[in-house]
Short mmCIF file of all heavy atoms in Angstrom, two decimals:
data_model
loop_
_atom_site.label_atom_id
_atom_site.label_comp_id
_atom_site.label_asym_id
_atom_site.label_seq_id
_atom_site.Cartn_x
_atom_site.Cartn_y
_atom_site.Cartn_z
N ALA A 173 -17.95 -18.52 20.94
CA ALA A 173 -16.84 -18.73 21.85
C ALA A 173 -16.95 -17.89 23.11
O ALA A 173 -16.14 -18.01 24.02
CB ALA A 173 -15.52 -18.42 21.13
N ILE A 175 -16.68 -14.57 23.35
CA ILE A 175 -15.63 -13.55 23.36
C ILE A 175 -16.23 -12.20 22.95
O ILE A 175 -16.85 -12.10 21.87
CB ILE A 175 -14.48 -13.94 22.41
CG1 ILE A 175 -13.83 -15.25 22.88
CG2 ILE A 175 -13.45 -12.83 22.30
CD1 ILE A 175 -12.82 -15.81 21.90
N LYS A 185 -5.33 -8.96 21.46
CA LYS A 185 -4.39 -10.07 21.56
C LYS A 185 -5.03 -11.26 22.25
O LYS A 185 -4.92 -12.41 21.78
CB LYS A 185 -3.15 -9.62 22.33
CG LYS A 185 -2.12 -10.72 22.57
CD LYS A 185 -0.94 -10.22 23.41
CE LYS A 185 -1.37 -9.93 24.83
NZ LYS A 185 -0.22 -9.52 25.68
N LYS A 186 -5.67 -11.02 23.37
CA LYS A 186 -6.31 -12.11 24.14
C LYS A 186 -7.45 -12.75 23.33
O LYS A 186 -7.59 -13.98 23.32
CB LYS A 186 -6.85 -11.58 25.46
CG LYS A 186 -7.38 -12.68 26.39
CD LYS A 186 -7.79 -12.10 27.75
CE LYS A 186 -8.14 -13.21 28.73
NZ LYS A 186 -9.19 -14.12 28.25
N ALA A 187 -8.21 -11.90 22.63
CA ALA A 187 -9.33 -12.43 21.83
C ALA A 187 -8.81 -13.33 20.72
O ALA A 187 -9.40 -14.38 20.43
CB ALA A 187 -10.14 -11.27 21.24
N ALA A 188 -7.70 -12.94 20.08
CA ALA A 188 -7.13 -13.75 19.00
C ALA A 188 -6.69 -15.10 19.52
O ALA A 188 -6.94 -16.15 18.91
CB ALA A 188 -5.96 -13.02 18.37
N ILE A 189 -6.03 -15.10 20.68
CA ILE A 189 -5.53 -16.35 21.26
C ILE A 189 -6.69 -17.22 21.74
O ILE A 189 -6.74 -18.43 21.46
CB ILE A 189 -4.55 -16.04 22.42
CG1 ILE A 189 -3.30 -15.33 21.87
CG2 ILE A 189 -4.17 -17.33 23.17
CD1 ILE A 189 -2.37 -14.79 22.94
N ASP A 190 -7.65 -16.59 22.44
CA ASP A 190 -8.77 -17.37 22.99
C ASP A 190 -9.67 -17.94 21.89
O ASP A 190 -10.17 -19.06 22.01
CB ASP A 190 -9.61 -16.48 23.93
CG ASP A 190 -8.89 -16.18 25.24
OD1 ASP A 190 -7.83 -16.78 25.49
OD2 ASP A 190 -9.35 -15.29 26.00
N LEU A 191 -9.87 -17.14 20.82
CA LEU A 191 -10.71 -17.60 19.73
C LEU A 191 -10.06 -18.80 19.04
O LEU A 191 -10.76 -19.78 18.67
CB LEU A 191 -10.94 -16.47 18.73
CG LEU A 191 -11.93 -16.74 17.59
CD1 LEU A 191 -13.31 -17.09 18.12
CD2 LEU A 191 -12.01 -15.52 16.66
N GLY A 192 -8.75 -18.73 18.86
CA GLY A 192 -8.05 -19.85 18.25
C GLY A 192 -8.14 -21.11 19.11
O GLY A 192 -8.36 -22.21 18.59
N ASP A 193 -7.99 -20.93 20.42
CA ASP A 193 -8.07 -22.07 21.32
C ASP A 193 -9.46 -22.70 21.34
O ASP A 193 -9.62 -23.93 21.40
CB ASP A 193 -7.68 -21.68 22.74
CG ASP A 193 -6.18 -21.34 22.89
OD1 ASP A 193 -5.41 -21.75 22.01
OD2 ASP A 193 -5.81 -20.68 23.88
N ALA A 194 -10.49 -21.82 21.26
CA ALA A 194 -11.88 -22.31 21.31
C ALA A 194 -12.27 -23.01 20.03
O ALA A 194 -13.08 -23.97 20.03
CB ALA A 194 -12.82 -21.15 21.59
N ASN A 195 -11.74 -22.57 18.90
CA ASN A 195 -12.05 -23.15 17.59
C ASN A 195 -13.55 -23.40 17.40
O ASN A 195 -13.98 -24.55 17.18
CB ASN A 195 -11.28 -24.46 17.36
CG ASN A 195 -11.41 -24.99 15.94
OD1 ASN A 195 -11.96 -24.31 15.05
ND2 ASN A 195 -10.93 -26.19 15.72
N PRO A 196 -14.36 -22.35 17.51
CA PRO A 196 -15.84 -22.55 17.40
C PRO A 196 -16.26 -22.99 16.05
O PRO A 196 -17.39 -23.51 15.87
CB PRO A 196 -16.40 -21.16 17.75
CG PRO A 196 -15.28 -20.23 17.43
CD PRO A 196 -14.02 -20.94 17.76
N PHE A 202 -7.47 -24.20 12.88
CA PHE A 202 -8.12 -22.88 13.00
C PHE A 202 -7.23 -21.92 13.81
O PHE A 202 -6.60 -22.30 14.78
CB PHE A 202 -9.46 -23.03 13.71
CG PHE A 202 -10.21 -21.76 13.90
CD1 PHE A 202 -10.94 -21.18 12.87
CD2 PHE A 202 -10.21 -21.11 15.14
CE1 PHE A 202 -11.64 -20.00 13.05
CE2 PHE A 202 -10.91 -19.92 15.33
CZ PHE A 202 -11.63 -19.38 14.28
N SER A 203 -7.21 -20.62 13.37
CA SER A 203 -6.49 -19.57 14.09
C SER A 203 -7.46 -18.44 14.43
O SER A 203 -8.39 -18.15 13.67
CB SER A 203 -5.37 -18.99 13.20
OG SER A 203 -4.32 -19.91 13.05
N GLY A 204 -7.19 -17.82 15.57
CA GLY A 204 -8.04 -16.68 15.95
C GLY A 204 -7.92 -15.52 14.98
O GLY A 204 -8.90 -14.85 14.68
N ILE A 205 -6.71 -15.27 14.48
CA ILE A 205 -6.48 -14.12 13.60
C ILE A 205 -5.48 -14.53 12.52
O ILE A 205 -4.65 -15.42 12.73
CB ILE A 205 -5.97 -12.92 14.41
CG1 ILE A 205 -6.02 -11.61 13.57
CG2 ILE A 205 -4.54 -13.16 14.94
CD1 ILE A 205 -5.75 -10.34 14.41
N SER A 255 3.03 -16.17 17.88
CA SER A 255 3.29 -17.48 18.45
C SER A 255 2.03 -18.21 18.90
O SER A 255 1.93 -19.42 18.79
CB SER A 255 4.28 -17.38 19.63
OG SER A 255 3.73 -16.60 20.68
N ASP A 256 1.05 -17.42 19.42
CA ASP A 256 -0.12 -18.08 20.06
C ASP A 256 -1.45 -17.79 19.41
O ASP A 256 -2.44 -18.47 19.72
CB ASP A 256 -0.20 -17.67 21.54
CG ASP A 256 1.06 -18.02 22.32
OD1 ASP A 256 1.67 -19.06 22.00
OD2 ASP A 256 1.43 -17.29 23.23
N GLY A 257 -1.52 -16.79 18.53
CA GLY A 257 -2.80 -16.38 17.99
C GLY A 257 -3.04 -16.71 16.53
O GLY A 257 -4.15 -16.59 16.04
N THR A 258 -1.96 -17.12 15.86
CA THR A 258 -2.10 -17.40 14.42
C THR A 258 -1.21 -18.55 14.02
O THR A 258 -0.13 -18.75 14.58
CB THR A 258 -1.77 -16.15 13.57
OG1 THR A 258 -2.05 -16.41 12.20
CG2 THR A 258 -0.32 -15.75 13.72
#
Side-chain angles (χ1 to χ4, degrees):
I175 298 172
K185 176 183 69 177
K186 187 175 187 304
I189 295 170
D190 289 350
L191 186 60
D193 289 343
N195 188 8
F202 180 80
S203 290
I205 193 170
S255 64
D256 301 328
T258 186

